[in-house]
Structures are given as C-alpha cells and as structure tokens.
C-alpha cells in the first residue's frame, strides 16, 4: 500500500464507531470528574508527568470540547498546583515531563492563543532560556536524562518550537548533533554502567548500554530533530545526524513473525548479548520507534521510510493482543500510549488499518476500567501492586486524554509532550 503524508487539516476526525465512541467518551468523562475531585490529595513529584500541570492538560482539552462548561477554571486550578510543585522542587531544569519546562508547556497550551498567563509564561520562558543557553554537549558516554524526552534536551525541543524561542532551539539542536557523534565507533549517547540510574538495569548491563526507547533513547533524539526540521529549523550536521540515527535504529531491529520490532536496549560491548524484544508501548518498543521513523520520514522527505514506519506500526498492532507485558492503561507503558500513536498514524497516513486497530485497542483499554476504584483506572506500581495515580504519564488523566482523542473532534495537541506530533 502506498503511503502518503496527508496535509494538515483543521479538524480531527476520531475513527471509532458511534457505539464504541459513546462508551469511551462516557468513561473519559467519568474519569475527569473523579480526578477533579480527588487528585490534589496526592503529591506527585513531576508537574507535567505526574502532577498538576499534566492534569491541567486534560481539562484544557475538555474546555476545547465543551467551552463555557467551566473546564478552564479546573484547568487553571491544576496549573496553579503545578506551579506550586515546581516552586517546591526548586531548580529541576527545563525538562518537559519532569522539569519546570512542563509547567511552561501546559501554560502555553492553556493560554488560549497567548491571551492568558502572560506573566507566568514570561517568567518561565526566561528560566528556560537561561538554562538552555548555558547548556553544553554532555560528552561521550552520558546519562539518558541529559538528552532524552523525559528529562533532557529532546523533550525540551517541542516547547521551544511552540514558544518561538529560535536562538535557544538552535543551541539545543547543536547540542543534540554533538550527542549523535561517535568516538572509536561508539555513539556519544551511549550510557556507561556507572551512569545507569535504574539499579535493575545497571545489574543487567555491567558494561553499559545503548537505549532504543522513544522515552529515554536515540529515537527521542531523532523525533526532536525531525519535529524541528519539519518546522523549518536545522543546524549544521543535523540532517546527517538524523540519517545516521535512522540507520542505527533500522540496523538494530529484531523482527518477528509480525514484522519489525526492537529491543529496549543494546548491551555493550556490541555483540556481547542477544537483544530481546521490548514490550509494545510508547516508552519502549515498536509503537514509539515506528512513530519516530514516520516523523523522520516526513522531515527527510523519504516516502520509503514512512511506508516502513506504517508497516512497523501495523506489526505492533498485530503483536499487541499477545504481548502480556502490556497489561495496564497508562500512556507511558500501557494501552493508552499505543492508542494515541495509532490515532496519529491513522490521521497522518489515512491507512484504514489504523481505524480497525483503534477499535481493538480501545476495547482493551476499556477492559482496564475499574468503576469501583478511586480514579477509574489503576496504575501498575514498580513493586507489581496497583495504585491510584491521577497524572498524565502513568495515571488516569493521561488515559482520559487518549480516550478523548479517540472520540471527540478536537486535535490532541497535548501529545507533542510525548514527541508524537
């Protein structure tokens, strides 16, 4: 099937059948009411990923769907909470999902075209600018948080694009180009053992690794550069770096009976360990990588790469029903994140297979709904237990946002925070 890039359209057209859309919207609205009443009892650390700023995005989207229903007041209340969380956290850096950049991102989305939050945005923009312009390339062998989507430079790029901060954007893109360099055949963005933060990951990779996930790895760099290039912003070496990243991602596939797939990480030294497939999610695995390759194909004007990205995402959808590592609802590592990527692929490519996939994933997502729980959807905690998180990335608000994207004709601009659009 020939894949084309559809031109931007004014309206977002959800693909679900009317009956399923009604069910999904009813659940989304129920979750929104639950989160509105209960979320501020919790104290997540990260304003956008788990706290008030991310939750505010849900009510901003509802305000666009149902204006004059007071959702903007609720969004304002949660944004204020996000500001307080940022003040309590102190100097956390401009990372979008776990830094003060997330509050700036939410405020800009909720500003109604810049007519609100002018003073707040001016203050936050100045802070982001100082941090970014003072930043330097992290060197050879780095923590993933120095460049990734969650906490690093790749996640900051979408905000700089939206805020029109061109000098800062070009400075950060130049840093990312440097991160893509090599020394002795090893990419600068590799992570040595002593810089791996997660203890389990450190134990498994005693000599370090190369991260393959959209959330923490090289696909996040590629997504950020691609979004910038599509918007008309490139710096010397950027296009070559993008092509090298594409080649690296394609060269580290581990295909299965469904089609293209990827590991979560590649062990160092190279060739020392046979990689195993990652789960089928946004943070790691084929969905996030496939979306990155689509964005790169669009930025580089490469229809073959876009067609490959579609094939990889179709394979991911076929793989998902039997992937028992995906057993939750959240955006990060659950069905909501895969649904959002499918919706973006369907919108951008026009491929009818993604409408069918959206139906399948929505059904699986709704099967996770627990009306007897506090927030409607429960999150899987690190110890394997179920928790009640209200936030964007791993909580109920993010699930509700994906359900809204699947059901109402309002473009889900919020997913730029996940490097998806």
């Amino acid at each position: 099937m020939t894949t084309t890039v559809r031109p931007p359209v004014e309206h977002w057209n959800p693909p679900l059948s009317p009956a399923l859309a009604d069910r999904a919207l009813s659940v989304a609205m129920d979750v929104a009411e639950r989160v509105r009443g209960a979320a501020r009892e919790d104290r997540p650390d990260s304003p956008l990923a788990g706290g008030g700023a991310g939750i505010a995005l849900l009510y901003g989207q509802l305000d666009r769907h149902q204006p004059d229903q007071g959702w903007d007041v609720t969004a304002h209340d949660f944004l204020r909470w996000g500001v307080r969380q940022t003040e309590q956290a102190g100097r956390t850096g401009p990372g979008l999902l776990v830094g003060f950049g997330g509050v700036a991102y939410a405020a800009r989305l909720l500003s109604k075209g810049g007519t609100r939050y002018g003073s707040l945005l001016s203050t936050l923009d100045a802070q982001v600018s100082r941090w970014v312009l003072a930043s330097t390339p992290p060197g050879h062998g780095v923590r993933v948080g120095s460049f990734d989507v969650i906490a690093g430079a790749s996640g900051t790029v979408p905000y700089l694009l939206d805020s029109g901060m061109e000098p800062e954007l070009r400075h950060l893109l130049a840093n990312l180009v440097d991160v893509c360099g090599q020394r002795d055949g090893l990419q600068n963005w590799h992570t040595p053992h002593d810089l791996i933060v997660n203890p389990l990951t450190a134990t498994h990779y005693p000599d370090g690794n190369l991260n393959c996930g959209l959330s923490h790895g090289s696909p996040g760099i590629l997504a950020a550069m691609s979004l910038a290039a599509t918007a008309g912003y490139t710096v010397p070496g950027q296009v070559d770096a993008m092509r090298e990243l594409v080649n690296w991602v394609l060269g580290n596939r581990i295909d299965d009976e469904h089609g293209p797939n990827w590991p979560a990480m590649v062990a160092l030294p190279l060739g020392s360990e046979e990689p195993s497939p990652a789960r089928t999610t946004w943070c790691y695995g084929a969905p996030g990588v496939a979306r990155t390759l689509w964005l790169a194909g669009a930025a580089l004007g490469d229809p073959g790469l876009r067609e490959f990205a579609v094939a990889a995402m179709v394979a991911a959808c076929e793989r998902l029903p039997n992937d028992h590592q995906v057993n939750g609802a959240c955006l990060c590592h659950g069905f909501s994140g895969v649904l959002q990527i499918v919706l973006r692929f369907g919108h951008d490519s026009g491929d009818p297979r993604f409408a069918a996939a959206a139906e399948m994933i929505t059904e699986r997502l709704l099967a996770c709904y627990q009306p007897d729980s506090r927030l409607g959807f429960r999150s899987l905690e690190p110890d394997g237990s179920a928790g009640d998180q209200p936030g964007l990335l791993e909580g109920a608000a993010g699930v509700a946002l994906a359900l809204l994207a699947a059901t109402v004709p309002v473009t889900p601009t919020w997913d730029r925070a996940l490097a998806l659009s």
Side-chain angles (χ1 to χ4, degrees), residues 79 102-112 116-117 120-121 124:
L79 181 62
V103 175
Y105 176 84
R108 192 165 297 281
L109 275 187
L110 298 172
S111 70
K112 294 186 179 291
R116 298 182 177 183
Y117 305 122
L120 174 63
L121 283 170
L124 291 172

Side-chain angles (χ1 to χ4, degrees), residues 5 17 19 28 34 72 86 96-98 106 133 151 187 206 234-235 269 292 304 340 346 358 364 377:
V5 181
S17 64
R34 291 169 183 252
D72 59 333
T86 301
L96 203 61
L97 284 161
V98 299
L133 294 178
Q187 288 78 6
T234 58
V235 298
T292 294
Q340 190 63 29
R364 288 185 168 267
F377 289 96

